[in-house]
Amino acid sequence: MQHSIEDLLAIMATLRNPDKGCPWDLKQSFSSIAPYTIEEAYEVSDAIEHGDMTELRNELGDLLFQVVFYAQLGKENNAFDFIDIVDGICRKMLRRHPHVFAGADYSSEEALHAAWESEKERERADNRATGALAGVALALPALMRAAKLQKRAARVGFDWPDTQGVLAKCREEFAEFEAEVAQGNPQAIQEEFGDLVFSLVNLSRHLHIDAEQSLRQANKKFERRFRQMETLFSDSGRDLGQASPEEMDTAWEQVKQQTPAA
């Protein structure tokens, strides 16, 4: 017999039962479990990236448990419960898809996207979140948050008209970064490095590239090539740490030639 969402809600309620619940679960609050929610979301993404459907199913269960945990905390605080969460997302999806559920007709994908963004703007206004940048979550990964901030600014016209302007800005920021490196002021170096990365994210946005995904791919490529370089030295009976910088550079170039970039 398969368990249901009602079973999961009952399990969560028991874990939070003051008399017979789990001591760890009883100590938790909204803020204390928030980091676990972020971690679980990343583990879902990791399972997808590895193409492991069994692991994805398990990780989605862990993520769902986080939602149920919040729902139980909300119920205990007389703020909301699981049904309220379900009702809220159903209403939002119905509201944001009038072309599917309410007979609206949009002439193009651009018009559909404009209507979607307009509805989101109205929702933010209803929540008293004002300003073009309102509602961009602070907890987002920095590259992703930078892209979202830039998209919001672009909607009100604060944007470069073409990619060439963004490229010029990247060169300007790199020159400023180099100048601060030469001066050796750690605080100024960090600030200029942030400006440089922010401008590169803006370039990725103009080129329709996902900066976060691009860096993840670069990380994977580096890890794969580095492990192959370690294997080269191991096969010759040496430890990588015993090699000179010149030998490592030669091995690195050999690995690059032998393996694809992807």
Side-chain angles (χ1 to χ4, degrees):
M1 182 187 75
Q2 283 192 315
H3 290 290
S4 66
I5 188 64
E6 287 75 18
D7 293 326
L8 182 57
L9 292 168
I11 289 169
M12 185 70 253
T14 302
L15 290 172
R16 290 281 299 181
N17 185 295
D19 297 323
K20 58 180 180 179
C22 170
W24 186 89
D25 290 281
L26 285 168
K27 290 192 301 183
Q28 302 314 306
S29 65
F30 288 110
S31 58
S32 70
I33 63 172
Y36 297 101
T37 308
I38 296 170
E39 181 180 342
E40 295 298 351
Y42 276 116
E43 289 179 359
V44 167
S45 177
D46 194 59
I48 293 171
E49 194 164 336
H50 286 92
D52 189 332
M53 292 297 104
T54 299
E55 187 64 17
L56 176 58
R57 180 196 65 196
N58 294 335
E59 296 300 345
L60 286 170
D62 291 344
L63 188 58
L64 176 59
F65 184 74
Q66 297 292 305
V67 176
V68 169
F69 208 139
Y70 289 118
Q72 178 63 31
L73 292 173
K75 185 176 182 179
E76 293 169 8
N77 285 275
N78 296 315
F80 58 84
D81 61 15
F82 187 76
I83 296 302
D84 294 325
I85 295 172
V86 173
D87 179 68
I89 189 60
C90 286
R91 290 177 183 274
K92 180 186 291 186
M93 291 301 103
L94 290 169
R95 189 170 63 245
R96 289 187 179 180
H97 296 83
H99 54 294
V100 177
F101 301 108
D105 185 21
Y106 299 112
S107 58
S108 65
E109 186 174 340
E110 289 75 17
L112 172 60
H113 181 72
W116 172 274
E117 293 299 336
S118 177
E119 176 58 30
K120 289 175 67 176
E121 289 286 351
R122 190 190 66 77
E123 290 170 5
R124 284 192 288 269
D126 289 345
N127 292 328
R128 303 182 187 276
T130 59
L133 305 183
V136 181
L138 289 170
L140 285 172
L143 292 179
M144 188 183 300
R145 189 164 193 268
K148 284 185 173 290
L149 290 170
Q150 292 162 3
K151 286 179 183 177
R152 291 285 190 85
R155 284 185 209 148
V156 295
F158 190 75
D159 197 11
W160 297 96
D162 54 42
T163 304
Q164 291 305 310
V166 188
L167 281 167
K169 184 62 177 176
C170 289
R171 296 188 192 100
E172 175 189 324
E173 294 294 351
F174 187 78
E176 292 176 2
F177 171 67
E178 278 192 310
E180 293 299 341
V181 170
Q183 292 293 323
N185 183 329
Q187 184 175 349
I189 290 171
Q190 179 165 326
E191 182 176 345
E192 291 300 336
F193 184 77
D195 291 345
L196 175 59
V197 174
F198 191 84
S199 65
L200 289 171
V201 172
N202 204 19
L203 179 61
S204 75
R205 182 177 63 86
H206 274 261
L207 294 172
H208 307 291
I209 295 170
D210 186 323
E212 186 80 21
Q213 185 62 25
S214 294
L215 185 55
R216 288 171 65 88
Q217 290 172 346
N219 289 341
K220 286 178 62 178
K221 179 171 64 178
F222 175 82
E223 183 178 14
R224 183 177 66 252
R225 287 177 172 175
F226 191 87
R227 291 185 184 279
Q228 290 171 332
M229 186 172 65
E230 286 180 316
T231 300
L232 281 179
F233 282 94
S234 177
D235 289 345
S236 63
R238 299 179 63 194
D239 185 85
L240 181 60
Q242 300 171 333
S244 68
E246 292 77 17
E247 289 175 316
M248 289 190 205
D249 188 59
T250 298
W252 182 261
E253 291 302 322
Q254 180 180 341
V255 167
K256 284 178 64 177
Q257 293 173 9
Q258 292 176 346
T259 59

mmCIF file of all heavy atoms in Angstrom, residues 23 69 73 163 198:
data_model
loop_
_atom_site.group_PDB
_atom_site.id
_atom_site.type_symbol
_atom_site.label_atom_id
_atom_site.label_comp_id
_atom_site.label_asym_id
_atom_site.label_seq_id
_atom_site.Cartn_x
_atom_site.Cartn_y
_atom_site.Cartn_z
ATOM 1 N N PRO A 23 12.701 15.097 19.539
ATOM 2 C CA PRO A 23 13.307 16.289 20.165
ATOM 3 C C PRO A 23 13.910 17.258 19.147
ATOM 4 O O PRO A 23 13.792 18.476 19.314
ATOM 5 C CB PRO A 23 14.386 15.696 21.076
ATOM 6 C CG PRO A 23 13.889 14.321 21.390
ATOM 7 C CD PRO A 23 13.195 13.852 20.135
ATOM 8 N N PHE A 69 6.835 20.520 6.577
ATOM 9 C CA PHE A 69 7.365 21.031 7.850
ATOM 10 C C PHE A 69 6.910 22.486 8.055
ATOM 11 O O PHE A 69 6.411 22.859 9.119
ATOM 12 C CB PHE A 69 8.887 20.953 7.847
ATOM 13 C CG PHE A 69 9.512 20.790 9.206
ATOM 14 C CD1 PHE A 69 10.588 19.931 9.402
ATOM 15 C CD2 PHE A 69 9.036 21.507 10.304
ATOM 16 C CE1 PHE A 69 11.173 19.778 10.648
ATOM 17 C CE2 PHE A 69 9.607 21.359 11.557
ATOM 18 C CZ PHE A 69 10.684 20.498 11.739
ATOM 19 N N LEU A 73 4.446 24.120 10.992
ATOM 20 C CA LEU A 73 4.818 25.289 11.793
ATOM 21 C C LEU A 73 3.778 26.403 11.635
ATOM 22 O O LEU A 73 3.417 27.071 12.604
ATOM 23 C CB LEU A 73 6.204 25.795 11.373
ATOM 24 C CG LEU A 73 7.386 24.884 11.700
ATOM 25 C CD1 LEU A 73 8.663 25.445 11.080
ATOM 26 C CD2 LEU A 73 7.558 24.711 13.199
ATOM 27 N N THR A 163 24.730 44.499 -27.222
ATOM 28 C CA THR A 163 25.793 43.749 -26.558
ATOM 29 C C THR A 163 27.114 44.507 -26.553
ATOM 30 O O THR A 163 27.913 44.372 -25.615
ATOM 31 C CB THR A 163 25.977 42.385 -27.261
ATOM 32 O OG1 THR A 163 24.726 41.701 -27.271
ATOM 33 C CG2 THR A 163 27.005 41.528 -26.536
ATOM 34 N N PHE A 198 29.537 41.233 -11.888
ATOM 35 C CA PHE A 198 28.178 41.730 -12.169
ATOM 36 C C PHE A 198 28.048 42.124 -13.639
ATOM 37 O O PHE A 198 27.034 41.832 -14.285
ATOM 38 C CB PHE A 198 27.879 42.935 -11.273
ATOM 39 C CG PHE A 198 26.439 43.365 -11.290
ATOM 40 C CD1 PHE A 198 25.506 42.754 -10.470
ATOM 41 C CD2 PHE A 198 26.011 44.394 -12.120
ATOM 42 C CE1 PHE A 198 24.169 43.155 -10.473
ATOM 43 C CE2 PHE A 198 24.682 44.795 -12.137
ATOM 44 C CZ PHE A 198 23.760 44.173 -11.308
#
